[in-house]
Structures are given as C-alpha cells and as structure tokens.
Amino acid sequence: YFNQDPQDGWSFLQAFEEKFAHLDIPILMITSSIDGDDKAKADQFKSVKQFFIKPITPYFFDFFSMNNLLGY
C-alpha cells in the first residue's frame, strides 16, 4: 500500500495520526523496502509499533502472536 495512488503510505500515516492519535491504535508496518531511512521515518510515527520487511512467511505468524508483536 505504501506507494499506491492516490495517497502513499506516509501520507496515510500522517492523516491517520492527525485524526486518530488520541485512540492509540497500533500499526504494524510491513514493507518491501530495505532502505534504513524508511525505518527511521516510520519510527517518527507514534502509531507505528513494529516495522517488518517482506517476505513475511506463515512461520512468522506461527512464531509471533499478535500480543507479542504489539507488546501487550
């Protein structure tokens, strides 16, 4: 989703946080980007709780529960 028109993921995150930051809704970011600048940029968003680089395999979901991913 991050590089799709009409809105990229960064624009989405900005709009999401402006509207819903008070709700403390966690976002797990899954991307194909290996650019360290993208990770640093994602870290600037309060709602982004985890940053993962594709590929994500079924083992990933077996290994982690949603509670572990979100830190609850």
Side-chain angles (χ1 to χ4, degrees):
Y1 177 79
F2 256 66
N3 293 312
Q4 295 181 4
D5 291 330
Q7 182 181 46
D8 69 11
W10 303 118
S11 298
F12 167 80
L13 282 172
Q14 184 67 40
F16 180 88
E17 288 202 344
E18 288 172 5
K19 189 167 186 175
F20 301 111
H22 65 285
L23 298 177
D24 195 31
I25 299 171
I27 292 178
L28 305 180
M29 186 177 207
I30 301 174
T31 180
S32 60
S33 174
I34 58 171
D35 186 341
D37 291 340
D38 286 340
K39 169 70 167 102
K41 190 171 185 177
D43 287 342
Q44 295 175 5
F45 290 91
K46 178 184 171 199
S47 58
V48 176
K49 302 300 183 191
Q50 297 286 334
F51 183 93
F52 300 103
I53 299 172
K54 294 178 188 177
I56 300 297
T57 65
Y59 174 77
F60 171 87
F61 293 104
D62 289 340
F63 188 73
F64 293 104
S65 70
M66 198 55 91
N67 289 336
N68 287 337
L69 289 174
L70 299 177
Y72 295 133

